[in-house]
Amino acid sequence: FKSGPWSTYTGAQRAKCMLKFADLLEANLQELAGLDTLTMGAPMGMGHFVIPGAAQTFRCKNICLVLAVGLG
């Protein structure tokens, strides 16, 4: 994170990336749950629980990021 584009992003730019990732997780829930089943052997229903939780984590992390570094 010390080199590369992330280190140069403002808080607002980081927040936008994290929110977009959370949106993509939710938008691709079915496919990701299927992949989780194939790769991990998890029951299909488990992905429907874990993936929305992951999206919510990125949204919560986003709030912490904004509070820590501000939007500018």
Side-chain angles (χ1 to χ4, degrees), residues 24-40:
L24 289 169
L25 285 172
E26 291 175 339
N28 294 286
L29 174 62
Q30 290 289 75
E31 184 177 359
L32 291 170
L35 290 171
D36 194 37
T37 297
L38 287 173
T39 60
M40 301 294 290

Side-chain angles (χ1 to χ4, degrees), residues 14-60:
R14 290 178 183 189
K16 184 177 179 181
C17 288
M18 292 171 73
L19 290 172
K20 177 67 174 177
F21 184 67
D23 290 343
L24 289 169
L25 285 172
E26 291 175 339
N28 294 286
L29 174 62
Q30 290 289 75
E31 184 177 359
L32 291 170
L35 290 171
D36 194 37
T37 297
L38 287 173
T39 60
M40 301 294 290
M44 190 65 150
M46 183 65 80
H48 289 96
F49 171 76
V50 173
I51 294 164
Q56 192 61 31
T57 298
F58 275 91
R59 288 198 173 87
C60 289

Side-chain angles (χ1 to χ4, degrees), residues 6 10-20 62 65-66 71:
W6 189 258
T10 65
Q13 289 171 311
R14 290 178 183 189
K16 184 177 179 181
C17 288
M18 292 171 73
L19 290 172
K20 177 67 174 177
N62 178 51
L65 175 68
V66 170
L71 287 173

